[in-house]
Amino acid sequence: MGESTWTREGIDAAVREAAEGLGEGGVPVGAALEVGGVLVATGRNLRVQAGDPTAHGEIACLRAAGRRASYRDAVLYTTLAPCAMCAGAIIQFGIPLVVVGEERTFAGEAGLLRSRGVEVEVLDDRRCVDLMSRFQREHPGVWAEDIGEAPPRP
């Protein structure tokens, strides 16, 4: 890939979105999109708040960015490794670089992204790990629902 670089501003914006989502009772996944080095959109997982099963953080961010002819100069930041649905959107639009806050609490589809030529950089950001660990501990049923797994048994 070579030309794209990431910024602290991008991951910080994604973390702010994740924290806001947690404060609203939602899944704490935030995302931000830079195009040509300019932050153009942010979003957070709104599945709980909006009752929308497709409202993951990356998807909400892409919706907020609006229609674009090309994502060739884009960097997508996400606090958590993308799931299959979000990875599909990244591949579909040809986003060349994804900066992931953490993949400890959910491995996601980094391998799929890499197999399709997407550069993936994992930061192992403690803020991201802490937000998701807390959420998974406090809301295991909602977390299972978010990633398409059966809820834990009581």
Side-chain angles (χ1 to χ4, degrees):
M1 200 200 88
E3 300 248 348
S4 293
T5 58
W6 63 275
T7 67
R8 215 59 234 166
E9 177 187 10
I11 194 63
D12 289 349
V15 170
R16 281 191 302 275
E17 286 287 337
E20 283 188 40
L22 182 62
E24 297 167 349
V27 181
V29 177
L33 184 71
E34 284 180 353
V35 177
V38 176
L39 186 65
V40 297
T42 61
R44 62 183 165 275
N45 186 306
L46 295 168
R47 289 185 76 254
V48 171
Q49 301 92 312
D52 178 351
T54 66
H56 282 202
E58 299 90 335
I59 301 299
C61 180
L62 292 171
R63 286 179 180 148
R67 193 171 152 204
R68 301 200 163 269
S70 172
Y71 291 84
R72 184 178 11 242
D73 298 326
V75 179
L76 181 68
Y77 300 85
T78 180
T79 57
L80 185 65
C83 70
M85 176 178 67
C86 296
I90 291 162
I91 292 165
Q92 177 70 29
F93 296 118
I95 297 171
L97 174 61
V98 177
V99 177
V100 175
E102 67 101 354
E103 62 181 2
R104 282 192 216 180
T105 63
F106 178 69
E109 296 293 341
L112 171 62
L113 291 170
R114 288 182 178 114
S115 78
R116 296 296 296 267
V118 178
E119 184 179 343
V120 179
E121 183 158 346
V122 180
L123 304 179
D124 200 28
D125 187 303
R126 188 82 227 160
R127 301 170 299 172
C128 299
V129 173
D130 290 348
L131 280 166
M132 187 51 69
S133 295
R134 175 181 164 197
F135 181 80
Q136 289 172 342
R137 195 173 49 254
E138 294 175 2
H139 305 283
V142 176
W143 172 243
E145 176 188 323
D146 194 65
I147 58 172
E149 292 183 354
R153 294 182 187 248

